[in-house]
Amino acid sequence: MGFHGHGHSMLEDGPVAYDSELVRRLMKYVVPHWRYILLASIMTLGVAGSNLAGPYLLKVAIDRYIATGNLWGLNGVAALYILTHLVNWVCSYGQTYYMSWVGQNTLYSLRRDLFSHLQRLGFKFYDSRPAGVIMSRVTNDVQAIQELISGGLVHMISDVIVLGGIVTIMLLMNTRLALVSFLVLPFLTYTAIVFRNRVRRAYRDVRVKIANVNATLQESISGVRVAQSFVREDLNAQRFDQTNLENLQANMRAASLFSVFMPLVDCIGAAGISLILWYGGRQVMAGTLTVGVVEAFISYLERFYRPLQDLGQIYNTMQSAMAACEKIFAIMDTEPEITDRPGAVDPGSLKGHVRFENVTFGYDPDRPVLHDINLEALPGERVALVGPTGAGKTSIINLLARFYDPQRGRIVVDGHDLRDLKVECLRKQIGIVLQDTFLFSGTVKDNIKYGKLDATDEEVIAAAKAVGAHEFIEKMPQGYDTPVGERGAMLSIGQRQLISFARALLRDPRILILDEATSSVDAYTEVLIQRALEKLLEGRTSFIIAHRLSTVRNADKILVIDQGRIVERGTHAELLARGGLYAQLYEMQFRYQEVAGN
Ligand code: CTP
Ligand code: MG
């Protein structure tokens, strides 16, 4: 368990089984399929009707035709009997098919809407939520709703019809015998309720335990490299064993509950049937009742229990569906915090004149991580940001790309406040190479083309050549069509970086943001990357969080950040001469690079 505490909250079903507001919103997804719902309802009537007809036909056959020796009548009823079952077959098929159609299509549109909404939500939303929980919204929770629509609702309708029908027919056929048969109902209901609650708890436990198994598994798989290098295999196996064992025990508890209660329900059912046999049989002997009626009663009672149990189930299905709805709509109600302001402009192409004016920002508004930042970058200028870890360098560029909005002050590009620019316009002209390069599974070419899908192969190759990635890509087994593996796992760090440079270059952005990775690469790749960088930065306004001496030295301006403030600014030579923080950083971080010959 340990880290996976959130596994509980996502599985905890709320106590609400019906919430009209949620249902109303859900209906928006269901109602468009009303034709199929109508068809399914008609089929449902067929299923219920044919279910009810069977025992009645038995009674007719026995009392009216067998008792009187009417062979033609008997033939007719026998044929009718098989016919009702054929009707039942066809209608059951239609009912299941149409309702699955409705359920699956609802699921499809819900997932589609949820996904596109999730894509629009900002960094802030993702900062505070584990990916696993968000994923379960799109998979498990949507599934719970589909179960209600496809299974639950239709079955509920047909169950109610069947139950009502059976009770009515029994009462009409023989009121006394009917009342005697109903004597077992209180016991049945009581058992069903007790059983239902126990089983529900047992299965909830099973779901929590299997979620823990999944969470442990997932973490162990993604962390397998670290685990092996720290020789944690045995310890992790023990931890997994524990969750795995708990899962086994939970399943066994659920299974034994089932194996106790199912036969018990059958026993109560048998008691009901023996009551009918005993009481009805006596009346048959006394001549006040026919054999056919007794047979029909037994047959009806046998058909009584399944719908009754199904109805017990519907409450659970509704409860989980409501809980799922609540979580899904909560996400849909989360407004993306970064949106186009009404009247936001799209000035076409930008020149790349950037200014920060008294910008103060914190991921948590009460805890600023940037204080009163002022800076200016002229079009085409190269600005290097340096400073100790946690100083706020990444935060500054997060603001420039408008992944967050500042709490105070403003950021201006070509005279436009970022918040007055269309988000799309801004992002289209900003190229970003993040600190941790993210490649998507797919081929090398897919990854280079990621931001410009209509790029031709020639353009892709030209971009790769420009950053010096062409050579190694050519040498790969399938060249540009080589798959890179999940997150680019099949490439070296340096290769990943070069590919992400090519990706940024292909977009030809006006403003380039580069969060240099700290990871050291071999001297050869280092030279490659340096050259690639020069090419990448040519003629663009660029902000570079630099860890390489060469990048810093070639910058037009160096800003030294410390604890959320710009503490020094100037060129390499000026700052060295000042003997301040930059000079210190230079001594510690950059000096050895010079010695190493870079
Ligand atoms: N921070 C935060 N919430 C985030 C990201 C960062 O509260 N989602 C905080 C960090 O704890 C840090 C501060 O913001 O104290 C600045 O972080 P950042 O700008 O990422 O620091 P960098 O200067 O980029 O540090 P590094 O060189 O290690 O990348
Ligand atoms: Mg950073």
Side-chain angles (χ1 to χ4, degrees):
M1 281 260 312
F3 308 125
H4 315 308
H6 58 261
H8 289 275
S9 61
M10 81 191 199
L11 289 168
E12 217 76 66
D13 292 349
V16 195
Y18 185 84
D19 178 322
S20 54
E21 175 61 19
L22 290 178
V23 170
R24 197 184 55 75
R25 294 183 66 175
L26 185 59
M27 277 304 154
K28 285 208 184 106
Y29 286 90
V30 182
V31 168
H33 311 302
W34 66 271
R35 283 191 189 82
Y36 277 61
I37 298 175
L38 192 69
L39 277 172
S41 310
I42 294 169
M43 295 295 171
T44 301
L45 287 180
V47 172
S50 53
N51 248 328
L52 291 172
Y56 186 76
L57 287 177
L58 281 182
K59 170 194 171 278
V60 172
I62 294 170
D63 288 350
R64 200 177 296 167
Y65 302 122
I66 296 176
T68 59
N70 181 340
L71 206 57
W72 276 110
L74 188 62
N75 289 345
V77 176
L80 216 57
Y81 191 82
I82 188 70
L83 193 71
T84 58
H85 276 72
L86 287 177
V87 168
N88 192 278
W89 178 29
V90 172
C91 290
S92 295
Y93 166 77
Q95 182 194 39
T96 308
Y97 179 84
Y98 291 128
M99 277 332 279
S100 301
W101 201 93
V102 174
Q104 291 299 338
N105 277 278
T106 308
L107 179 101
Y108 170 84
S109 357
L110 253 179
R111 281 208 178 126
R112 186 195 51 203
D113 286 3
L114 197 54
F115 182 80
S116 55
H117 190 75
L118 280 171
Q119 293 276 301
R120 292 197 304 130
L121 289 175
F123 283 28
K124 208 171 182 171
F125 176 83
Y126 292 97
D127 282 348
S128 56
R129 286 172 188 78
V133 172
I134 301 173
M135 282 175 64
S136 95
R137 293 294 97 88
V138 187
T139 55
N140 298 347
D141 288 339
V142 174
Q143 185 70 34
I145 293 175
Q146 188 259 333
E147 268 160 32
L148 174 71
I149 295 168
S150 293
L153 281 182
V154 177
H155 279 140
M156 185 170 77
I157 297 169
S158 87
D159 289 343
V160 168
I161 296 176
V162 169
L163 286 181
I166 291 178
V167 170
T168 316
I169 295 174
M170 280 174 130
L171 283 172
L172 286 177
M173 269 196 205
N174 188 312
T175 314
R176 257 210 195 165
L177 190 57
L179 292 177
V180 171
S181 322
F182 297 155
L183 279 180
V184 292
L185 285 188
F187 298 99
L188 198 67
T189 317
Y190 176 74
T191 319
I193 289 173
V194 171
F195 170 66
R196 197 185 70 203
N197 288 337
R198 294 250 179 118
V199 165
R200 184 170 66 204
R201 258 177 271 140
Y203 275 111
R204 185 179 296 178
D205 201 34
V206 166
R207 280 183 296 158
V208 171
K209 298 293 190 237
I210 193 69
N212 289 342
V213 169
N214 284 340
T216 314
L217 187 64
Q218 193 251 331
E219 205 187 45
S220 307
I221 290 176
S222 18
V224 71
R225 291 172 184 83
V226 182
Q228 289 186 358
S229 52
F230 284 89
V231 207
R232 287 262 308 197
E233 293 97 321
D234 288 345
L235 197 63
N236 286 1
Q238 276 169 31
R239 265 178 55 183
F240 183 75
D241 219 41
Q242 182 59 32
T243 37
N244 199 13
L245 189 68
E246 281 172 16
N247 177 45
L248 179 146
Q249 288 161 345
N251 271 298
M252 281 313 292
R253 272 194 300 274
S256 37
L257 266 178
F258 238 99
S259 53
V260 168
F261 278 100
M262 289 313 266
L264 183 60
V265 169
D266 283 348
C267 267
I268 297 174
I273 289 171
S274 77
L275 255 181
I276 295 176
L277 259 183
W278 175 74
Y279 188 83
R282 282 163 59 113
Q283 287 196 325
V284 171
M285 288 174 194
T288 52
L289 193 70
T290 61
V291 180
V293 172
V294 176
E295 165 57 31
F297 264 66
I298 290 174
S299 196
Y300 275 127
L301 211 60
E302 277 171 347
R303 291 170 196 233
F304 202 82
Y305 300 126
R306 211 187 47 84
L308 203 64
Q309 280 168 17
D310 281 355
L311 276 184
Q313 205 49 47
I314 186 83
Y315 182 80
N316 298 343
T317 315
M318 283 187 65
Q319 210 178 34
S320 0
M322 283 304 130
C325 265
E326 203 174 339
K327 292 180 206 152
I328 288 171
F329 289 133
I331 289 188
M332 300 245 213
D333 288 342
T334 310
E335 289 292 330
E337 56 274 16
I338 307 292
T339 47
D340 284 341
R341 205 181 247 187
V345 295
D346 183 348
S349 67
L350 297 171
K351 290 205 295 290
H353 181 188
V354 176
R355 250 189 5 251
F356 276 53
E357 298 174 358
N358 307 314
V359 168
T360 295
F361 166 74
Y363 296 93
D364 167 3
D366 299 330
R367 222 168 38 83
V369 297
L370 294 177
H371 310 268
D372 213 19
I373 300 288
N374 284 290
L375 65 87
E376 179 163 27
L378 298 173
E381 240 180 2
R382 192 180 299 187
V383 179
L385 305 172
V386 296
T389 183
K393 305 179 296 292
T394 302
S395 306
I396 290 182
I397 62 167
N398 275 343
L399 290 179
L400 177 56
R402 210 176 162 216
F403 292 134
Y404 303 85
D405 279 333
Q407 273 92 34
R408 278 207 305 280
R410 58 181 203 144
I411 299 153
V412 182
V413 174
D414 290 4
H416 302 282
D417 187 323
L418 279 195
R419 285 165 293 201
D420 292 331
L421 279 179
K422 286 218 157 73
V423 180
E424 198 188 323
C425 159
L426 176 72
R427 299 253 172 92
K428 275 217 165 120
Q429 306 195 48
I430 289 191
I432 305 177
V433 179
L434 291 174
Q435 199 162 15
D436 42 352
T437 347
F438 195 103
L439 296 191
F440 295 87
S441 46
T443 65
V444 172
K445 199 204 293 177
D446 293 340
N447 271 290
I448 297 180
K449 277 172 75 166
Y450 191 78
K452 194 182 174 197
L453 290 177
D454 57 354
T456 61
D457 285 2
E458 286 72 36
E459 288 177 295
V460 170
I461 294 173
K465 275 191 176 149
V467 300
H470 181 68
E471 226 176 291
F472 84 81
I473 298 175
E474 281 277 84
K475 285 197 198 117
M476 295 171 82
Q478 288 146 269
Y480 282 84
D481 295 318
T482 313
V484 300
E486 193 179 315
R487 288 178 165 236
M490 282 142 86
L491 301 175
S492 77
I493 305 256
Q495 291 172 334
R496 271 179 244 172
Q497 238 170 60
L498 289 178
I499 288 179
S500 67
F501 286 174
R503 172 158 77 190
L505 184 66
L506 190 62
R507 290 256 300 201
D508 192 21
R510 290 323 308 143
I511 301 174
L512 194 97
I513 293 174
L514 175 66
D515 206 340
E516 251 185 9
T518 28
S519 48
S520 50
V521 291
D522 65 279
Y524 176 71
T525 318
E526 178 67 39
V527 174
L528 266 189
I529 291 179
Q530 263 177 46
R531 281 203 208 127
L533 265 179
E534 287 306 318
K535 184 75 196 172
L536 195 60
L537 302 178
E538 235 168 51
R540 307 170 212 282
T541 310
S542 53
F543 285 80
I544 310 162
I545 299 175
H547 298 289
R548 290 190 173 78
L549 180 61
S550 54
T551 357
V552 186
R553 219 165 25 191
N554 294 341
D556 297 307
K557 270 182 200 153
I558 300 169
L559 304 176
V560 185
I561 323 286
D562 190 26
Q563 298 185 25
R565 290 172 211 279
I566 300 180
V567 290
E568 288 171 25
R569 54 183 96 205
T571 62
H572 178 68
E574 286 166 12
L575 290 174
L576 270 191
R578 252 188 83 166
L581 181 61
Y582 182 79
Q584 271 178 39
L585 282 171
Y586 173 77
E587 278 300 321
M588 295 188 312
Q589 197 183 339
F590 300 130
R591 182 70 180 266
Y592 79 95
Q593 295 180 11
E594 202 156 44
V595 176
N598 284 318

